[in-house]
Amino acid sequence: MRILGIETSCDDSAVAIYDSTCGLLAHKIYSQTDIHRLYGGVVPELAARDHLQKLLPLLIQLFKDLNISKKSIEGIAYTAGPGLMGALLVGAAVGRSLGWALGVPTLGVHHLEGHLLAPMLEPNPPQFPFVALLVSGGHTLLVEVQGLGRYTLLGESLDDAAGEAFDKTAKLLGLGYPGGPALAQLAEKGQAGRYVFPRPMTDRPGLDFSFSGLKTAALNTWLNAEQTEQAKADIAHAFQTAVIDTLVIKCRRALQQTRAQRLVIAGGVSANRLLREQLAVLAQKLNIQVFFPRVEFCTDNAAMIAYAGCQRLLAGQRDDLTIKAQARWSLTESN
Ligand code: KG4
Ligand code: ZN
């Protein structure tokens, strides 16, 4: 089954075609970073307007590059939430209308389901069941995945998501936008042990997270430091180590609690080098397997949406003609 995927939940317009026999045929991403950089964060109205301008040309280009006709598409999957309402509506309206025009089944897909199935696009995909750590700009979740649409929430962030904490701390340190990767890069130059921040909520049982206190710790340390470039790098190092240690401690707990043999890491923060290294070490210690999507499928993309939609369409799921967009939508509601 050949599926067109559309993703517009935040600040990336993305399209992809996934074929259940041949795999991913192609995918394209247009990033709005240059628009939002001026404002230091994503401006929802500008995001929606830009999706409106870029999505159709991107789609046309995708078909041109592959030299295939729209008529060869057998189903459409678009991101229906969670995300920015205006942004979601653009992809949803295009996806649903095109599905109607072509007379093919169409589905609104959960953005986080897309992220957690992204490693399935790799040559060596994980088998069910597995534990997934989903770490993006909007979410930090630990999920037990028994199969497609069979998700049990093990823990989540009670305040800032891990990516959000990276972005906010980067902003406080004057690192610009988008801050996460810049902060991670600066942390490489930091001296270990110069500053030590807490590992929030690791001193009590449970799998929930809380990252908002770490940005305050970073800000207070910066305000009381001598404010040199080295001090900034040392703070970035302490911050990154605290976030990654916390994520690794909770992954270990989740694996022990569920006795899972496989761990999947997904979402934008899974591009973080230290996180990948530390989880590879954990996997070796626990004698389990760890799976990461390639970096371009860690952050927002339409390949993961086309894949998730394809699995659900193959299972016979169909939506009616409603254009589906939900700014807030819990992953377990998509079961
Ligand atoms: O999954 P994603 O593209 O968008 C959401 O659905 O949120 O994730 C983006 C998030 C941002 O917060 C960004 O700062 C973070 O992922 N991120 C990183 C790194 N690369 C992206 N955080 C830490 N280290 C990185 N290397
Ligand atoms: Zn995302």
Side-chain angles (χ1 to χ4, degrees):
M1 193 174 201
R2 187 173 282 186
I3 306 299
L4 169 68
I6 299 176
E7 154 66 37
T8 62
S9 65
C10 190
D11 58 347
D12 293 297
S13 306
V15 293
I17 295 178
Y18 178 82
D19 186 302
S20 53
T21 312
C22 313
L24 184 68
L25 299 189
H27 82 115
K28 285 190 165 295
I29 304 179
Y30 171 82
S31 164
Q32 301 179 351
T33 303
D34 288 343
I35 295 173
H36 302 295
R37 182 177 281 124
L38 286 171
Y39 305 92
V42 178
V43 183
E45 182 58 25
L46 295 182
R49 288 186 206 185
D50 203 54
H51 286 308
L52 212 49
Q53 287 192 324
K54 302 295 182 345
L55 187 58
L56 285 178
L58 206 61
L59 259 179
I60 291 165
Q61 194 60 47
L62 180 75
F63 285 109
K64 232 188 221 168
D65 288 357
L66 282 172
N67 197 21
I68 60 170
S69 149
K70 286 194 289 297
K71 297 209 171 77
S72 67
I73 296 300
E74 295 164 287
I76 296 183
Y78 62 86
T79 304
L84 304 171
M85 187 45 106
L88 286 168
L89 274 170
V90 178
V94 168
R96 184 57 274 188
S97 317
L98 193 57
W100 176 76
L102 295 173
V104 295
T106 302
L107 265 189
V109 169
H110 198 290
H111 180 77
L112 299 183
E113 178 171 70
H115 272 305
L116 65 83
L117 297 181
M120 300 295 191
L121 293 161
E122 300 303 333
N124 176 28
Q127 285 175 347
F128 297 123
F130 54 77
V131 162
L133 172 71
L134 239 161
V135 268
S136 71
H139 298 87
T140 301
L141 306 178
L142 268 165
V143 188
E144 189 177 11
V145 179
Q146 281 101 3
L148 179 74
R150 293 171 60 204
Y151 310 127
T152 308
L153 185 65
L154 302 171
E156 63 187 327
S157 179
L158 305 178
D159 42 54
D160 291 350
E164 187 180 3
F166 264 89
D167 294 338
K168 285 180 174 171
T169 304
K171 201 169 177 179
L172 293 172
L173 295 175
L175 298 180
Y177 170 86
L183 186 94
Q185 217 178 348
L186 183 64
E188 306 265 330
K189 299 188 194 133
Q191 193 188 321
R194 177 89 170 79
Y195 302 107
V196 179
F197 295 156
R199 277 60 175 151
M201 296 184 71
T202 54
D203 57 351
R204 65 195 89 162
L207 294 169
D208 286 335
F209 303 89
S210 166
F211 290 114
S212 72
L214 282 177
K215 66 172 185 291
T216 317
L219 178 63
N220 289 338
T221 308
W222 173 242
L223 293 177
N224 291 314
E226 69 272 34
Q227 305 213 342
T228 58
E229 278 310 300
Q230 188 56 47
K232 203 183 267 190
D234 295 343
I235 292 170
H237 188 286
F239 171 85
Q240 173 169 261
T241 314
V243 174
I244 304 304
D245 272 2
T246 306
L247 293 172
V248 173
I249 290 169
K250 299 279 168 147
C251 281
R252 173 196 275 267
R253 273 187 204 172
L255 288 162
Q256 283 166 342
Q257 185 179 310
T258 57
R259 299 175 190 274
Q261 294 299 303
R262 288 172 283 271
L263 175 66
V264 159
I265 318 297
V269 183
S270 60
N272 185 279
R273 201 180 56 80
L274 184 68
L275 178 66
R276 288 176 172 246
E277 276 174 17
Q278 297 288 316
L279 287 174
V281 172
L282 177 72
Q284 213 168 18
K285 266 191 211 154
L286 299 182
N287 197 23
I288 58 131
Q289 286 178 289
V290 65
F291 298 85
F292 303 97
R294 73 192 79 160
V295 171
E296 67 186 301
F297 295 153
C298 287
T299 46
D300 290 348
N301 66 87
M304 65 185 192
I305 302 301
Y307 177 84
C310 184
Q311 304 315 307
R312 285 186 176 263
L313 287 163
L314 283 172
Q317 209 174 315
R318 304 286 184 266
D319 275 350
D320 60 19
L321 288 178
T322 315
I323 293 171
K324 251 175 75 179
Q326 254 176 279
R328 296 174 69 86
W329 183 10
S330 126
L331 177 65
T332 45
E333 276 172 48
S334 71
N335 281 1

